[in-house]
Amino acid sequence: MIRFPKQVRIVEVGPRDGFQNIKQYIPTETKLSIIAAMVDAGVTLLEVTSFVHPKAIPQMADAVEVAETVCGKYQNTALRPIALVPNITGAKKALAAGIQEISYVISASEKHNLANINRTHEQSLEDLGKISKELPELKVRLDVATAFGCPFSGRVDESLITKLIDAALKLGIQTVVLCDTIGVADPLLVYQHASKIKANYPGLDVGLHLHDTRGMALANSLAGLEAGITMFEASVGGLGGCPFAPGAAGNSATEDLINMLQSMGIETGISLDKYIAAATIVREEIQSVLTSRMAYACKYENM
Ligand code: ZN
């Protein structure tokens, strides 16, 4: 008999991972109204923006404004706004804007790390060390990108993940998110990696960030649940497809994940109806066709 957790934490990453893949600039007001709808639905962990250089990702040019507004508006509430930062400069900007928790990305595959941010593992870890030392007030989540597969070097060996986790633990980092950046994981691989890491690092908070590129995000989430994972990152509407592959599915859709968990009796603290309302704003304002299923599903009462 499989034992599932009673409760799961969902981290909404749409305003970062989803929006950054939208070519057309989304007005800051629209971004904030979608964030407000998600908070209203009950989300408490929310990646609101990314402090990358606007030349690299023009969609994130309003990072300061978004972060300042969200941090100000939801001060003293249950919301924990998170921002992605690529380096210490971004971390300083995030902190100045009121952010207390950041995601820092290192790819398990060094080839991908070099292609993505032009750094070796050593260089990435050095910068992470600087962040921990110089900005101790920031809570850091380590996002291990390409944890299940890399576009350049194929399957990623688990030892590459543990090498990064060991380095993160030395810096006092307590949260690690295994990211299926290009959506190549399968349920068996997710179960194997996640259960090994859960067993080897009992005190570590381990999350999963799954992409639905090949239609396996929900199956992979289930495999993660079976391995004892209780934190999942997902994106409203399933936004987050590759900007260079039109029609490609993006992140695991938050409302689909909420629906699956809710159907299984697992608590998320989030209202599915309100989340579908948030996805509707996304559909009306940003992207007319979503990969989410729940955004289109008929509603049945008394089910
Ligand atoms: Zn992603």
Side-chain angles (χ1 to χ4, degrees), residues 16-35:
R16 194 278 302 168
D17 205 356
F19 292 176
Q20 77 178 19
N21 284 299
I22 306 280
K23 265 193 187 160
Q24 201 184 347
Y25 191 74
I26 306 163
T28 309
E29 221 171 274
T30 307
K31 289 174 181 162
L32 292 170
S33 71
I34 293 164
I35 289 172

Side-chain angles (χ1 to χ4, degrees), residues 13 16-17 20-21 179-181 209-211 233 240 251:
V13 297
R16 194 278 302 168
D17 205 356
Q20 77 178 19
N21 284 299
C179 306
D180 184 20
T181 312
H209 173 115
L210 300 165
H211 278 243
E233 297 193 346
N251 283 267

Side-chain angles (χ1 to χ4, degrees), residues 15-212:
R16 194 278 302 168
D17 205 356
F19 292 176
Q20 77 178 19
N21 284 299
I22 306 280
K23 265 193 187 160
Q24 201 184 347
Y25 191 74
I26 306 163
T28 309
E29 221 171 274
T30 307
K31 289 174 181 162
L32 292 170
S33 71
I34 293 164
I35 289 172
M38 295 188 299
V39 176
D40 183 47
V43 151
T44 55
L45 293 160
L46 182 51
E47 205 166 86
V48 291
T49 190
S50 169
F51 285 84
V52 286
H53 200 284
K55 263 189 193 156
I57 304 176
Q59 187 65 263
M60 296 290 130
D62 57 1
V64 171
E65 196 185 338
V66 169
E68 277 181 349
T69 309
V70 173
C71 291
K73 186 174 170 186
Y74 299 104
Q75 209 178 12
N76 306 321
T77 71
L79 182 73
R80 269 165 59 190
I82 303 161
L84 188 135
V85 307
N87 49 38
I88 187 156
T89 313
K92 283 179 182 166
K93 281 185 192 162
L95 185 64
I99 293 286
Q100 292 172 353
E101 189 165 355
I102 56 163
S103 288
Y104 183 87
V105 187
I106 308 179
S107 296
S109 149
E110 195 157 25
K111 267 190 188 168
H112 188 266
N113 208 52
L114 280 163
N116 201 27
I117 47 175
N118 196 24
R119 283 190 199 168
T120 61
H121 277 166
E122 211 185 310
Q123 288 168 325
S124 277
L125 288 169
E126 202 185 297
D127 210 39
L128 182 57
K130 273 190 209 159
I131 293 174
S132 302
K133 205 175 156 198
E134 292 179 34
L135 311 168
E137 57 271 65
L138 271 180
K139 191 169 185 263
V140 182
R141 310 160 65 84
L142 175 65
D143 281 0
V144 179
T146 65
F148 302 97
C150 162
F152 312 116
S153 43
R155 280 228 167 164
V156 167
D157 194 80
E158 191 210 312
S159 64
L160 291 167
I161 303 173
T162 53
K163 179 185 134 184
L164 295 177
I165 294 178
D166 289 338
L169 284 175
K170 278 188 194 151
L171 298 170
I173 291 167
Q174 291 161 345
T175 307
V176 171
V177 183
L178 307 177
C179 306
D180 184 20
T181 312
I182 54 168
V184 289
D186 62 74
L188 182 61
L189 188 64
V190 169
Y191 183 80
Q192 286 170 337
H193 274 8
S195 52
K196 269 189 209 161
I197 286 163
K198 285 292 286 179
N200 292 341
Y201 302 94
L204 189 69
D205 194 14
V206 185
L208 281 174
H209 173 115
L210 300 165
H211 278 243
D212 200 34

